[in-house]
Amino acid sequence: DTHGRVVQPPVWELFRTWLPSCPATARILIEWDQDVPALEVLLHEAQLASQIVRESGRANEGVRQPIYA
């Protein structure tokens, strides 16, 4: 993960795998350090993360929605 492009499919799969074991107080950060794209791209990435959290059932347990950085 370079922090300079969209989250790649293997990273989303790792995220899905990690979610069931993450603490309920976990915070999700999508970080972009270089080549920052249009806001629409950033919001889309955050929406993907939110969707994965909802699909996992963890959203009701207090796992927070993504933070933009």
Side-chain angles (χ1 to χ4, degrees), residues 1-7 29-37 42 67-69:
D1 184 7
T2 67
H3 296 184
R5 59 187 172 152
V6 297
V7 178
L29 172 70
I30 298 174
E31 186 175 10
W32 217 291
D33 296 334
Q34 58 200 23
D35 301 322
V36 178
L42 298 172
I67 298 168
Y68 313 101

Side-chain angles (χ1 to χ4, degrees), residues 7-22 26-30 45-56 58 63-67:
V7 178
Q8 300 299 295
V11 177
W12 286 128
E13 288 305 313
L14 179 61
F15 182 55
R16 283 183 178 92
T17 302
W18 171 77
L19 268 174
S21 62
C22 79
R27 301 297 185 265
I28 300 159
L29 172 70
I30 298 174
E45 293 292 289
Q47 289 171 348
L48 287 173
S50 293
Q51 178 181 346
I52 293 169
V53 170
R54 284 191 306 275
E55 289 172 356
S56 76
R58 297 302 308 271
V63 174
R64 304 296 174 128
Q65 297 302 310
I67 298 168

